[in-house]
Structures are given as C-alpha cells and as structure tokens.
Amino acid sequence: MKDRILVTGGTGYIGSHTVVELQNAGYEVVIVDNLSNSSADVVDNIEAVSGIRPAFEKLDCLDFAGLDGVFAKYPGIKAIIHFAASKAVGESVQKPLLYYRNNLVSLINLLELMPKYNVQGIVFSSSCTVYGQPDKLPVTEEAPIKKAESPYGNTKQINEEIIRDTVASGAPVSAILLRYFNPIGAHPSALLGELPNGVPQNLVPYIVQTAIGIREKLSIFGDDYNTPDGTCIRDYINVVDLAKAHVVAIARILEKKQKEKVEVFNIGTGHGLSVLQLVHAFEKATGVKLNYQIAPRRAGDIEQVWADPALANKELGWKAETNIEDTLRSAWNWQLKLRERGIQ
Ligand code: UFG
C-alpha cells in the first residue's frame, strides 16, 4: 500500500475521478467533502469503478477543528489534493464574500494544519482563468497574471499567492499548482461525471442536456469574436486525463522530485477548439443532432485561450491522451446513464 492522501472535494466532478486514479495507482485515499455540490453515493460509485472504498468524512473545510480531527483520525497523511471550492463564476459576482470565505479560509486551514501533521505537500486546483486573455497563444506558465474577471477567478489568484507566501516563509511544505483549462467528459464507465446544479453554466453539460431534451436549445454566446469562425476558443481537457495529472503531481512531491518548492503546470491538451467546432465534434461523436442558436456574447468571456502543456509533458511526464470524440461520447454516455437512473 502506498501513502495516504487527503482529497478535499473528493466527491465532486474532478475530485471523484482523481480519487479513482489515485486508488488505481495504489494510494490510500481519505475524502473530505461537505456535499454542497455532490452526494454521498459518489463514494459508492468510486468503489464500483475502482473496487476500493475510500474513507469518507462529511465535513466543511471551513471547520478547522473538524479538519484537525480528520488528520488525527487518519494518521500519516502525506499529501493533500485540494479541490474543495465554490466554482460558479456568475454566483461569485453575486456572493463575493461567500466565495472569498469558502475558497480562501479552506486553504488557509489546510496550510495551517500541514506542519502539525507532517504533511509534505499540497496539489492545488488552479485555473487558466488566472491568465485572462493572454497576449500570446498558446499560453505558457510564464505568461503574466491578469486582473481577475470575477471574485471566483480572484480566489484562484489569491490562493496561488497564499501558497507561495506560506512556502516562502519557511513552512515545511511544498506545492504544485495545476492550472486547468476546460475539464469536460466523464468516466468511461459512466458511473462518474459532472452533475450540474440547476441550469448548466458550462458548455458541455448544456450540450448534453440539450441533446437529451432537458433544454430546448443551446445558445452559442457570440459569433463575432476575432477567431476563424467567430466563436470563442478553449482547450477542452478530458477529466480522466486531468485526474491522472494529479497522480503524477503527488508522486513528484512525495518522491521529492520537485525543482522548486512551488511549481506551476498548465494542464491542457495544447489544442484550441471553437464552440462551433465542439458542437460539430459532439454531433459527429454521438450521431445526435444538436439544436442551437447564435446568441449575444456572454459578459466576462475570454475570446480565446489554449495551453502550452510542454512543461507538464516534460517535467511531469504527463500528456492529454483522450481524443475529443471519445471525450464527448463519455459525456453523452454519462447523461444517458443519469436518465436511466432517473436523476436527470
Ligand atoms: N458557451 C456557450 N453556451 C453555453 C455555455 C458556454 O456558448 O451555454 C461558451 C462560452 O461562451 C465559452 C465556451 O462555451 O466561449 C466555454 O464556456 P464554459 O462556461 O464551459 O467555460 P469557461 O471557459 O467560460 O469557464 C471555465 C470554467 C471556469 C473557469 C474558466 C477559465 O468553468 O471555472 O473556464 O478557466 F474560470
């Protein structure tokens, strides 16, 4: 048995896929999640996929004493993957203090507890949102951080700084900041995936809900951008590929292979796809025709961004592997399964 890893937000979308990959790699996982945006049966599904039931504690990371209790109950936690956070861009504009409290205090609590329990390192879920609209594409980790467009984006930037300042102060911890591009898709088993709360804000959940008839039609936000077909461009990364990046990041920390105590990696495919290209790829992959219309631009959208993942390729030995059709098919199969289970 390999080391014990704490995964906050481990029943969420990216968290649940990562728990499976950690277990596949032999790690023992303890999940902490307050179930604010997920449900406890995700633990059953993780077990169904990996054959191993992870330890699960229903707890809010704002609860310092509760977190302390988790480290005491599960001795020897070697590293943390910190997913637990509020993540809806629009909601963060309406409720900034909720976002600042949830996303900042949770991380601070973990960083305060790490030395007490000899936790060596933390992998943090950051986002390409920190680059805003990059001046050069593909964007590398060296690109300047741009002023955040939303409180949510700002929490990612501030959290990166909190980690850097903590490590610089001499705290005996190290960190890997993974800047995700646009995670999409679901586990090939269709037992794990993204379960949006209410009307989906993100593109692929909206597409699959339209395809199955929950939504009438997809609105494509703007076709007058300065891109080849006028729609925005993103780097869509398969969620299982993304999950695997966390496993190699954890190994790098535990095997003390880091070149610096805080390292940053872009986690993307290196290829940009426009909204229209993605819609057409979905139709091709699934054979389902999608009802869509062109709508006005959405406030705050970046025109185009895609990753230069060369550093992650070289240093982590990680690469996105799944093609877009397989990824979109996995999202569709997950939606079909939700219908079968009577969920959505
Ligand atoms: N889009 C539509 N119609 C929809 C939903 C989205 O046309 O119904 C378009 C958007 O305008 C954008 C693209 O699809 O051009 C992708 O939009 P998403 O909402 O899926 O993703 P974003 O790139 O806007 O946001 C994602 C994450 C955020 C993160 C951000 C930047 O959801 O958490 O990337 O990292 F902050």
Side-chain angles (χ1 to χ4, degrees):
M1 180 58 83
K2 278 197 189 166
D3 294 310
R4 186 174 263 176
I5 310 295
L6 176 68
V7 180
T8 74
T11 56
Y13 172 45
I14 306 171
S16 57
H17 289 83
T18 301
V19 171
V20 165
E21 296 306 321
L22 284 167
Q23 291 181 324
N24 287 347
Y27 292 102
E28 188 190 319
V29 177
V30 179
I31 295 176
V32 163
D33 201 304
N34 66 0
L35 302 181
S36 61
N37 198 22
S38 60
S39 72
D41 38 295
V42 173
V43 181
D44 301 332
N45 291 339
I46 289 172
E47 184 181 6
V49 172
S50 67
I52 301 164
R53 193 167 185 85
F56 170 68
E57 298 289 334
K58 180 176 183 303
L59 185 77
D60 198 310
C61 290
L62 296 179
D63 178 353
F64 185 85
L67 271 182
D68 195 332
V70 170
F71 285 106
K73 180 171 173 186
Y74 300 94
I77 288 173
K78 286 275 170 29
I80 300 170
I81 306 182
H82 182 41
F83 292 106
S86 301
K87 62 167 189 178
V89 176
E91 185 188 42
S92 79
V93 177
Q94 305 303 320
K95 301 175 184 169
L97 296 179
L98 177 81
Y99 273 65
Y100 286 114
R101 184 193 300 278
N102 280 351
N103 293 4
L104 303 189
V105 177
S106 296
L107 175 68
I108 292 168
N109 284 345
L110 291 167
L111 290 171
E112 279 187 344
L113 285 164
M114 285 172 73
K116 178 173 174 187
Y117 289 96
N118 282 319
V119 183
Q120 292 176 32
I122 184 163
V123 176
F124 176 67
S125 304
S126 191
S127 165
C128 69
T129 193
V130 302
Y131 299 122
Q133 176 61 62
D135 303 322
K136 275 189 252 151
L137 287 168
V139 64
T140 70
E141 291 82 354
E142 303 300 313
I145 301 299
K146 296 269 173 77
K147 187 173 164 26
E149 292 273 350
S150 67
Y152 160 77
N154 205 20
T155 67
K156 292 293 173 193
Q157 296 191 2
I158 298 170
N159 275 342
E160 287 199 2
E161 288 173 359
I162 290 173
I163 290 172
R164 284 184 198 285
D165 290 345
T166 305
V167 172
S169 76
V173 297
S174 61
I176 292 183
L177 317 179
L178 298 181
R179 291 183 180 151
Y180 310 157
F181 284 68
N182 285 56
I184 62 165
H187 197 269
S189 65
L191 286 170
L192 300 171
E194 187 170 11
L195 195 52
N197 230 334
V199 181
Q201 304 301 310
N202 296 115
L203 181 59
V204 170
Y206 208 104
I207 287 177
V208 294
Q209 288 201 2
T210 304
I212 208 163
I214 299 172
R215 312 282 156 206
E216 194 205 332
K217 152 185 313 186
L218 169 75
S219 289
I220 294 182
F221 299 136
D223 69 346
D224 56 353
Y225 285 98
N226 185 24
T227 59
D229 65 22
T231 64
C232 292
I233 297 177
R234 296 288 183 275
D235 184 334
Y236 295 95
I237 171 79
N238 177 282
V239 67
V240 176
D241 288 346
L242 172 59
K244 289 177 179 167
H246 296 78
V247 179
V248 289
I250 283 290
R252 185 173 172 92
I253 288 173
L254 297 180
E255 292 163 15
K256 303 202 183 320
K257 292 200 172 132
Q258 287 181 275
K259 293 195 168 148
E260 290 162 51
K261 293 203 83 178
V262 181
E263 293 180 317
V264 185
F265 297 105
N266 281 343
I267 304 297
T269 66
H271 303 289
L273 276 183
S274 74
V275 178
L276 271 172
Q277 283 175 318
L278 191 90
V279 165
H280 294 140
F282 177 82
E283 292 182 327
K284 185 169 162 227
T286 61
V288 181
K289 197 99 190 77
L290 202 72
N291 195 13
Y292 67 85
Q293 64 184 3
I294 304 297
R297 291 182 177 197
R298 181 171 72 175
D301 267 341
I302 299 300
E303 181 174 272
Q304 43 188 325
V305 62
W306 65 94
D308 181 340
L311 192 67
N313 298 164
K314 177 166 174 274
E315 290 295 328
L316 296 177
W318 171 91
K319 205 169 180 305
E321 282 168 354
T322 317
N323 66 50
I324 191 71
E325 271 89 18
D326 285 348
T327 300
L328 291 168
R329 214 173 291 120
S330 72
W332 178 231
N333 288 338
W334 162 247
Q335 181 62 62
L336 291 171
K337 190 71 148 216
L338 285 177
R339 173 61 53 91
E340 207 179 291
R341 287 158 66 194
I343 296 173
Q344 268 184 350

